Amino acid sequence: MSEVYEGLKNVVEQVKETCAKVGRDPDEVCLVAVSKTKPADMIREAYAAGVRDFGENKVQELCDKMERLPQDIRWHMIGHLQRNKVKFIVGKVALIHSVDSMRLAAEISRLAVLNNVEQDILIEVNVGGEATKFGLSTEETIQFVKEAAKLPNIHIKGLMTSAPYVEDSKENLPIFHKMKELAVDISKENIDNVSMNILSMGMSQDFVAAIQEGSTMIRVGSKIFGQRYYFNQGEQM
């Protein structure tokens, strides 16, 4: 049994156990396997084990892999997205997780219209208020969603956050709880072209805590693929 298969099996079991404890259906939680810096062979192993959702941080790497790997993979752009790179992925990825400015949202919309495609997006929220991370503050998110929802050919499907790195994942429970509350508040606004079905929160170190607080999409890399490295340079990250 490969390390990838073993890692994936353990993650799936943890998801099922956590959902059972909090009375949730594990089918409500989508697993995005974060394959950034990982070679195509490892992605194929996860694919063979049934994974169809994969997350990448860099546009160039995502595009390279998209060309070489099965066409039915649902690719997720989970890293910070520069406006000049939008043209390479709009209409090609299942979901852009990291929309954090009106200029970026407008560029995605412009290119979606130009290419006659529709693009699903998430709004990135910096719930923990960390200076080193991208994302809107919780206070400005609702107004931002109202404005972005008016743009053509993009559809807001929910929110994304990256919680602070902590030794004990329980420390992030308040972060995830606040995110869930924000999604509920936005849902109550009944904004056209907005649904809050997706809460993308929880990574390898804290996805259990995120699921407990209502996450519907977890982004797990090292727990499946092992520690990250640059497969074309052999450097540790």
Side-chain angles (χ1 to χ4, degrees):
M1 191 179 291
S2 74
E3 288 184 22
V4 170
Y5 186 86
E6 190 67 40
L8 186 58
K9 183 167 168 281
N10 290 338
V11 169
V12 170
E13 284 176 359
Q14 279 188 279
V15 170
K16 287 179 178 175
E17 287 171 8
T18 306
C19 286
K21 285 178 183 174
V22 295
R24 294 186 63 192
D25 181 347
D27 289 341
E28 293 176 7
V29 182
C30 173
L31 169 61
V32 177
V34 179
S35 50
K36 61 182 182 181
T37 79
K38 295 300 180 182
D41 286 348
M42 293 183 85
I43 298 172
R44 287 191 187 97
E45 285 184 59
Y47 179 91
V51 178
R52 291 296 179 270
D53 293 270
F54 291 88
E56 291 286 336
N57 264 41
K58 297 185 182 301
V59 169
Q60 181 62 54
E61 189 177 344
L62 190 157
C63 291
D64 289 346
K65 289 174 176 175
M66 197 181 288
E67 289 179 10
R68 298 161 58 198
L69 290 157
Q71 294 299 301
D72 63 335
I73 285 177
R74 292 180 292 270
W75 293 101
H76 296 248
M77 180 61 197
I78 61 174
H80 181 63
L81 180 59
Q82 295 172 302
R83 294 195 311 283
N84 64 346
K85 300 285 179 67
V86 171
K87 60 191 174 190
F88 298 112
I89 65 167
V90 73
K92 296 178 182 177
V93 295
L95 194 59
I96 298 173
H97 289 231
S98 46
V99 177
D100 62 352
S101 74
M102 196 55 68
R103 290 174 75 190
L104 176 58
E107 181 66 359
I108 296 169
S109 170
R110 184 184 75 81
L111 287 165
V113 170
L114 190 66
N115 290 284
N116 195 29
V117 294
E118 307 287 324
Q119 181 63 63
D120 290 346
I121 65 171
L122 302 180
I123 306 306
E124 183 172 5
V125 187
N126 186 353
V127 182
E130 295 177 89
T132 55
K133 287 188 177 160
F134 295 102
L136 300 162
S137 70
T138 52
E139 293 76 20
E140 62 188 335
T141 300
I142 293 181
Q143 187 57 39
F144 179 89
V145 167
K146 287 178 179 177
E147 292 301 314
K150 298 173 187 174
L151 296 167
N153 292 49
I154 62 172
H155 307 288
I156 299 171
K157 296 296 184 181
L159 307 175
M160 182 271 258
T161 197
S162 297
Y165 180 80
V166 290
E167 291 296 327
D168 182 355
S169 63
K170 289 177 184 170
E171 291 178 35
N172 279 335
L173 285 168
I175 297 283
F176 299 136
H177 184 74
K178 192 172 182 181
M179 175 85 149
K180 174 66 175 177
E181 285 187 328
L182 179 60
V184 169
D185 289 344
I186 293 171
S187 292
K188 287 177 181 175
E189 296 280 335
N190 291 316
I191 307 163
D192 286 344
N193 194 31
V194 174
S195 71
M196 285 290 123
N197 294 336
I198 299 177
L199 278 185
S200 174
M201 59 185 193
M203 297 187 287
S204 283
Q205 76 274 10
D206 58 13
F207 70 84
V208 168
I211 291 170
Q212 289 173 352
E213 291 296 337
S215 174
T216 65
M217 186 171 280
I218 56 174
R219 311 182 303 276
V220 181
S222 59
K223 280 280 178 74
I224 297 171
F225 297 109
Q227 291 305 307
R228 293 196 296 274
Y229 59 91
Y230 288 111
F231 65 87
N232 59 341
Q233 298 174 22
E235 294 177 1
Q236 293 295 320
M237 279 186 77

